[in-house]
């Protein structure tokens, strides 16, 4: 069997003023060393002839520039064209990409792949659970499976499961039926983590619906709420050999999600910036983590909103590490001044000037990491250490702090531009954690965002709406 692998994956916040450009994508080809790390399970199928095209991934951000999308799409299609004829295609996607001037970018890409490879070639796709799925996507795909954990710790497992579904389809020479039901709910990922209820139970119930025969696989998509486009919604999907069984499974999963919609809440105390800092100051031992959630880089924030930092400098905590601010000009000024120097800067508020303004301040350049691609600096202002990066940087790993001379457990408060804490950050939070309801492109107060194009009614925007699931075969 000859199977092609490729994909274009990012998460696009339509409220972000910062476009995602071609240079923001990391492109992996089969000849690259990273290819085997993305798909280690391919070695389990030595009898299959796998061919990589491009796997392009970008940090969540604003809408993708049309020219960037066209270039990536053309590259992927050219790779597929050179491999024809194919027995199957596996697409490694995210599912929440928005392209300037285009709705349903994944629908466009999958449609182009379908047109190229023909209807006799099965196509399977793996999705982040924060993907937005449209009927157009479901019609063009033969199989789709999504993550079942948030934070995402089953990325490789989901890719492997999707590939196994594709191989099963090819070996059986039969394609599964597909059932799809959009669920009119739009909620932030910070409320729908699978680490606490009700997400934990809802996602655990997926396995109960899969019998391996009538129902091959099932998926619940939470969706990505910061996308003002018609397909923004949660959904339930089931695939298998028996049409009635997958319809029932999709409806049961959708009903569970709907019935518990009012139970979705933040996993930690969600408070104002000031209250988060004050409560963290009252913690007697350990390191307290605070999420600067409105400018969460992992959800599409720009990384330079200064609202949290401004309040922290006003409140003057004796020991707070702020990770961080993206500002290439400020980093360059610090590099020019050198470690140990005092500098006056206008910091942040340059990428997202809708939600904050630059801060004029003075501080000491405490540490410099002169990385060629992304130089970084620690700027000390009283008891606050600000981690500055030339390029958008999401601080999720302990080693990132160590690289800047920061030993996390030696500091009382660490504030990070993130939403729910990923495992390494959670391990660092020995003094507990809080979520700051801060401004930014991915503001948690979704009702205040200027939605104009989502389908209504939709919960929680229309809190009193009634709904009954009605899965359709596609």
């Amino acid at each position: 069997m000859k199977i092609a692998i490729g994909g274009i994956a990012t998460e696009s916040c339509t409220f972000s003023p910062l476009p995602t450009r071609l240079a923001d994508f990391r492109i992996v080809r089969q000849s690259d060393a990273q290819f085997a790390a993305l798909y280690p399970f391919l070695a389990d199928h030595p009898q299959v002839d796998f061919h990589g095209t491009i796997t392009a991934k970008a940090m969540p951000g604003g809408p993708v520039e049309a020219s960037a999308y066209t270039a990536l799409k053309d590259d992927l299609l050219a790779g597929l064209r050179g491999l024809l004829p194919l027995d199957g295609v596996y697409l490694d996607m995210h599912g929440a990409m928005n392209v300037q001037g285009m709705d349903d970018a994944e629908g466009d890409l999958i449609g182009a792949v379908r047109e190229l490879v023909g209807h006799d070639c099965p196509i399977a796709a793996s999705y982040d659970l924060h993907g937005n799925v449209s009927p157009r996507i479901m019609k063009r795909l033969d199989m789709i499976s999504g993550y079942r954990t948030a934070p995402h710790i089953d990325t490789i497992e989901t890719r492997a499961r999707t590939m196994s579904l594709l191989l099963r389809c090819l070996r059986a020479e039969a394609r599964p039926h597909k059932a799809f039901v959009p669920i009119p709910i739009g909620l932030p990922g910070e409320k729908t983590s699978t680490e606490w209820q009700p997400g934990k139970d809802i996602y655990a119930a997926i396995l109960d619906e899969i019998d391996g025969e009538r129902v091959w696989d099932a998926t619940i998509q939470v969706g990505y709420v910061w996308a003002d486009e018609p397909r923004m919604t949660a959904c339930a999907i089931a695939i298998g050999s028996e049409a009635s069984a997958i319809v029932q499974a999709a409806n049961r999963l959708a009903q569970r999600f709907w019935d518990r919609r009012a139970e979705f809440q933040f996993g930690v105390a969600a408070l104002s910036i000031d209250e988060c800092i004050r409560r963290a100051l009252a913690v007697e031992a350990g390191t307290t983590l605070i999420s600067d959630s409105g400018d969460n880089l992992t959800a599409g924030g720009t990384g330079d909103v200064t609202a949290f930092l401004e309040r922290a400098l006003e409140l003057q905590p004796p020991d707070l590490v702020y990770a961080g601010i993206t500002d290439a000009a400020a980093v360059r000024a610090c590099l020019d001044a050198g470690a140990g120097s005092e500098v006056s800067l206008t910091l942040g508020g340059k990428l997202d000037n809708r939600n904050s303004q630059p801060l004029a301040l003075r501080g000491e350049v405490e540490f410099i990491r002169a990385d060629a691609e992304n130089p970084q600096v620690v700027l000390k202002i009283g008891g606050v250490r600000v981690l500055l990066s030339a390029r958008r940087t999401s601080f999720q790993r302990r080693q990132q702090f160590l690289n800047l001379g920061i030993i996390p457990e030696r500091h009382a408060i660490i504030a990070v531009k993130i939403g729910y804490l990923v495992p390494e950050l959670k391990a660092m939070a020995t003094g507990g954690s809080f979520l700051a309801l801060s401004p930014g492109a991915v503001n948690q107060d979704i009702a205040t965002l200027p939605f104009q194009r989502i389908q209504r009614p939709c919960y929680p925007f229309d809190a009193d709406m009634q709904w009954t699931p009605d899965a359709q075969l596609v």
Side-chain angles (χ1 to χ4, degrees):
M1 290 184 286
K2 186 178 180 182
I3 295 176
I5 298 171
I8 305 173
T10 190
E11 190 175 67
S12 303
C13 172
T14 61
F15 303 111
S16 170
L18 183 68
T20 299
R21 300 182 170 89
L22 185 60
D24 295 320
F25 283 88
R26 178 175 62 90
I27 299 174
V28 175
R29 303 180 188 274
Q30 189 169 6
S31 58
D32 297 331
Q34 302 99 307
F35 185 83
L38 289 174
Y39 312 111
F41 50 87
L42 299 185
D44 298 333
H45 307 284
Q47 77 282 11
V48 181
D49 188 14
F50 293 109
H51 294 267
T53 57
I54 65 163
T55 301
K57 297 183 182 295
M59 178 186 292
V64 178
E65 289 185 336
S67 59
Y69 170 70
T70 299
L72 293 169
K73 175 184 172 182
D74 289 349
D75 198 345
L76 190 152
L77 293 177
L80 290 175
R81 192 174 294 111
L83 294 170
L84 295 176
L86 286 161
D87 295 301
V89 175
Y90 162 59
L91 296 176
D92 184 1
M93 309 291 279
H94 178 285
M97 176 168 59
N98 178 275
V99 173
Q100 291 175 344
M102 177 190 296
D103 280 335
D104 194 10
E106 283 84 4
D108 177 79
L109 179 65
I110 294 166
V113 172
R114 171 58 72 201
E115 183 176 352
L116 178 65
V117 303
H119 290 280
D120 293 334
C121 178
I123 304 174
S126 60
Y127 264 47
D128 187 299
L129 61 75
H130 297 123
N132 293 323
V133 182
S134 67
R136 180 187 185 190
I137 289 168
M138 290 300 301
K139 288 177 181 177
R140 286 160 174 77
L141 283 176
D142 295 287
M143 287 147 283
I144 181 172
S145 192
Y147 299 169
R148 295 170 183 164
T149 63
H152 311 314
I153 58 174
D154 62 338
T155 304
I156 299 296
E157 177 185 333
T158 302
R159 291 174 182 149
R161 180 173 64 250
T162 307
M163 182 62 76
S164 293
L165 291 168
L166 177 58
L167 292 173
R168 176 176 182 173
C169 172
L170 290 169
R171 288 168 180 152
E173 297 183 349
R175 302 193 194 190
H177 298 289
K178 301 170 291 180
F180 172 59
V181 52
I183 309 169
I185 294 177
L187 291 170
E190 284 67 30
K191 287 188 174 182
T192 53
S193 170
T194 60
E195 289 193 334
W196 57 81
Q197 302 297 356
K200 187 174 183 178
D201 281 351
I202 289 171
Y203 270 82
I206 291 175
L207 294 178
D208 296 334
E209 298 292 345
I210 301 170
D211 62 16
E213 295 299 329
R214 297 183 307 154
V215 181
W216 291 10
D217 193 62
T219 294
I220 297 173
Q221 294 291 119
V222 169
Y224 177 70
V225 74
W226 294 288
D228 188 16
E229 55 179 333
R231 66 173 182 164
M232 189 288 290
T233 184
C235 72
I237 300 165
I239 64 172
S241 59
E242 186 176 302
S244 61
I246 63 168
V247 166
Q248 292 169 17
N251 279 334
R252 281 193 294 266
L253 291 174
Q255 190 68 62
R256 288 190 190 99
F257 197 92
W258 175 258
D259 288 346
R260 303 188 70 177
R261 63 194 181 281
E263 298 177 40
F264 287 104
Q265 300 295 331
F266 298 111
V268 298
L271 309 162
S272 69
I273 295 172
D274 285 26
E275 188 61 23
C276 283
I277 295 173
R278 290 192 181 102
R279 289 208 187 184
L281 287 170
V283 175
E284 295 182 358
T287 300
T288 303
L289 269 287
I290 303 176
S291 297
D292 181 4
S293 67
D295 197 27
N296 173 11
L297 284 146
T298 68
T302 60
D304 82 328
V305 174
T306 56
F308 189 104
L309 178 60
E310 183 175 20
R311 294 307 305 145
L313 294 175
E314 285 286 334
L315 294 171
Q316 297 185 338
D319 181 17
L320 184 147
V321 175
Y322 184 62
I325 291 285
T326 302
D327 192 325
V331 169
R332 173 52 55 192
C334 292
L335 294 176
D336 291 343
S341 301
E342 292 281 332
V343 292
S344 295
L345 299 172
T346 302
L347 188 62
K350 303 178 179 76
L351 304 177
D352 184 353
N353 54 22
R354 299 176 187 173
N355 290 292
S356 73
Q357 297 300 315
L359 282 182
L361 47 80
R362 184 171 180 80
E364 175 194 351
V365 180
E366 187 175 68
F367 190 94
I368 289 175
R369 186 170 188 258
D371 180 83
E373 292 188 4
N374 184 26
Q376 295 176 298
V377 169
V378 178
L379 184 68
K380 189 174 185 298
I381 310 163
V384 177
R385 289 175 172 85
V386 186
L387 310 188
L388 308 182
S389 301
R391 299 183 64 176
R392 293 173 69 235
T393 303
S394 175
F395 287 85
Q396 301 182 53
R397 294 176 289 107
R398 184 172 181 271
Q399 187 60 49
Q400 292 176 284
F401 292 89
L402 298 180
N403 290 342
L404 294 174
I406 302 290
I407 300 174
E409 53 269 25
R410 294 184 181 176
H411 295 275
I413 306 171
I414 297 178
V416 183
K417 287 183 179 294
I418 202 165
Y420 52 64
L421 299 182
V422 297
E424 280 200 49
L425 291 178
K426 192 173 182 179
M428 289 162 47
T430 55
S433 61
F434 301 98
L435 186 140
L437 298 172
S438 51
V442 289
N443 193 324
Q444 296 293 322
D445 190 1
I446 58 174
T448 66
L449 294 171
F451 285 99
Q452 296 179 345
R453 306 184 60 245
I454 61 174
Q455 295 192 53
R456 305 288 291 270
C458 178
Y459 181 87
F461 306 98
D462 305 289
D464 297 329
M465 67 175 288
Q466 302 295 313
W467 180 77
T468 300
D470 182 21
Q472 300 294 311
L473 294 173
V474 291

